[in-house]
């Protein structure tokens, strides 16, 4: 009997992508926990934010090469690209988010209603020491697509809020 080593299980593409995402985020979680155990939460949070920004910038840059943002794009177009980037990095089952509240000043809100990382951190009893790298992730996205923006955390589930809310405004 022969076995074709190069032939693995036949997954539909969507299932392969889901496994890849889950594996990446499992690696990320285990890496964070290992750094935290060996060097402390402060170092783990600092390195996590640095790496998250790098990965987000790279994903956004690659996306932008295939789907360039037209010159003069406004908040709605940029927000749509950020949503597309979130869908590349996180499945809908992992993160539930919506873009809302486009204001006259050019700002808009992104509302995250559910995030798997917070659940996993709570389950591992690491949530108290964890510092969310969300602004670094978003900064990486903005850099990767070549957009300058002011971005702030308005509310954070990590701090007890019902939702995470980010407000961005193009510069």
């Amino acid at each position: 009997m022969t076995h074709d080593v190069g032939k693995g299980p036949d997954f539909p593409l969507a299932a392969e992508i889901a496994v890849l995402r889950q594996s990446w985020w499992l690696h990320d979680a285990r890496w964070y926990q290992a750094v935290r155990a060996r060097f402390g939460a402060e170092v783990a949070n600092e390195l996590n934010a640095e790496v998250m920004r790098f990965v987000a910038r790279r994903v956004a840059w690659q996306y932008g090469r295939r789907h360039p943002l037209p010159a003069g794009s406004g908040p709605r177009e940029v927000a749509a690209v950020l949503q597309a980037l979130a869908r590349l990095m996180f499945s809908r089952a992992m993160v539930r988010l919506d873009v809302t509240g486009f204001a006259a000043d050019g700002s808009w809100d992104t509302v995250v209603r559910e995030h798997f990382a917070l659940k996993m951190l709570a389950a591992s009893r690491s949530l108290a020491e964890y510092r969310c790298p969300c602004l670094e992730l978003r900064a990486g996205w903005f850099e990767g697509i070549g957009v300058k923006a002011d971005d702030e955390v308005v509310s954070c589930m990590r701090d007890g809020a019902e939702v995470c809310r980010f407000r961005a405004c193009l510069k």
Side-chain angles (χ1 to χ4, degrees):
M1 182 162 130
T2 62
H3 177 68
D4 184 355
V5 177
K7 180 149 173 82
D10 190 20
F11 287 116
L13 182 58
E16 285 186 32
I17 292 169
V19 168
L20 179 61
R21 278 186 188 128
Q22 289 171 345
S23 297
W24 161 251
W25 289 112
L26 177 60
H27 169 272
D28 179 67
R30 294 302 304 152
W31 177 88
Y32 177 84
Q33 293 297 337
V35 172
R36 181 179 154 267
R38 187 169 297 173
F39 302 107
E42 185 176 333
V43 171
N45 286 321
E46 180 183 327
L47 294 175
N48 190 44
E50 182 180 318
V51 170
M52 189 65 69
R53 186 173 189 148
F54 174 85
V55 170
R57 182 175 51 241
R58 179 61 61 94
V59 168
W61 178 78
Q62 289 174 334
Y63 179 86
R65 288 186 67 199
R66 296 193 78 171
H67 308 281
L69 194 60
S73 291
R76 290 183 189 277
E77 293 83 12
V78 171
V81 168
L82 295 185
Q83 279 189 297
L85 292 169
R87 291 295 158 245
L88 279 174
M89 292 182 68
F90 311 102
S91 70
R92 284 176 171 77
M94 296 167 82
V95 175
R96 287 187 19 217
L97 64 84
D98 298 297
V99 174
T100 64
F102 289 93
D105 67 356
S107 66
W108 73 93
D109 288 0
T110 302
V111 178
V112 178
R113 295 184 185 339
E114 189 173 325
H115 201 293
F116 75 101
L118 297 177
K119 290 178 184 177
M120 297 300 106
L121 287 157
S124 68
R125 296 183 180 93
S126 302
L127 189 57
E129 299 174 313
Y130 183 74
R131 190 182 79 227
C132 295
C134 298
L135 283 180
E136 289 87 352
L137 171 109
R138 291 169 57 87
W141 285 343
F142 284 121
E143 289 170 18
I145 61 172
V147 171
K148 294 196 182 303
D150 290 323
D151 199 21
E152 66 177 326
V153 175
V154 176
S155 65
C156 179
M157 289 186 284
R158 161 65 189 79
D159 298 331
E162 240 179 81
V163 298
C164 294
R165 182 180 302 272
F166 304 94
R167 184 160 298 133
C169 187
L170 299 180
K171 289 184 180 182

